[in-house]
Amino acid sequence: MKLTRHNGRSGKNGTYNPRHNDRRFDVENSGHIDSERAKKNVYWDCYRGYTTAGSREDSSQPDFSFEQIELAYYTENYSDFIEAQNARNEKNRHTERNRTVRDLLKNNKTCPEESIYQIGTVEESVPPEAV
């Protein structure tokens, strides 16, 4: 079985859209994505743990996009620093340097790096229950 790791989030065209990570777009319009296989994806985040495409449809469970979770994490962990830096910028009369958490997520120099793991190949993969 092959394990592939993709790392990064920015490229020559800027930062990539985080909606791509949890397939929150119409995958039928993306020729390179097999919509039936995408339904078998398993996702992990630091707030909810493991989720699947099927768990999004469970009304008893909260459903947050990767983008929402990423914003919550960065707000929780970096907003105090950003506010302090912005206060220093204001004190030094450089308010044009002020940033928000959203600015960090959109900038290709400060956007979060991500790791995507793929277990298997198109021909052979691990069942989601095994992960």
Side-chain angles (χ1 to χ4, degrees):
M1 194 61 52
K2 179 181 176 184
L3 175 68
T4 306
R5 180 174 172 253
H6 167 74
N7 209 32
R9 168 94 170 266
S10 66
K12 65 181 181 179
N13 299 319
T15 59
Y16 302 128
N17 190 330
R19 285 185 289 168
H20 184 269
N21 295 339
D22 56 6
R23 303 295 193 243
R24 289 184 185 269
F25 57 91
D26 188 1
V27 296
E28 299 296 333
N29 293 331
S30 299
H32 69 287
I33 298 174
D34 180 342
S35 61
E36 287 305 309
R37 292 176 65 87
K39 292 175 186 174
K40 298 177 183 178
N41 286 354
V42 177
Y43 305 96
W44 180 89
D45 67 69
C46 60
Y47 295 110
R48 297 176 303 164
Y50 292 102
T51 59
T52 63
S55 66
R56 291 181 191 166
E57 298 169 10
D58 182 356
S59 60
S60 68
Q61 298 294 318
D63 180 32
F64 299 104
S65 69
F66 179 86
E67 195 170 14
Q68 291 170 306
I69 291 169
E70 185 177 66
L71 179 61
Y73 178 85
Y74 272 74
T75 299
E76 182 179 316
N77 289 282
Y78 295 102
S79 60
D80 290 344
F81 171 79
I82 292 170
E83 289 173 16
Q85 181 63 53
N86 289 346
R88 287 189 295 276
N89 291 343
E90 289 173 22
K91 181 180 176 184
N92 294 323
R93 290 178 268 185
H94 288 291
T95 55
E96 75 280 0
R97 296 179 183 169
N98 285 359
R99 302 288 180 262
T100 65
V101 171
R102 289 185 190 275
D103 293 333
L104 289 179
L105 295 173
K106 291 178 185 173
N107 186 310
N108 66 350
K109 292 181 181 178
T110 57
C111 71
E113 189 173 272
E114 64 194 21
S115 293
I116 299 172
Y117 292 91
Q118 177 180 339
I119 303 172
T121 63
V122 172
E123 294 82 27
E124 181 183 29
S125 63
V126 174
E129 305 81 42
V131 180

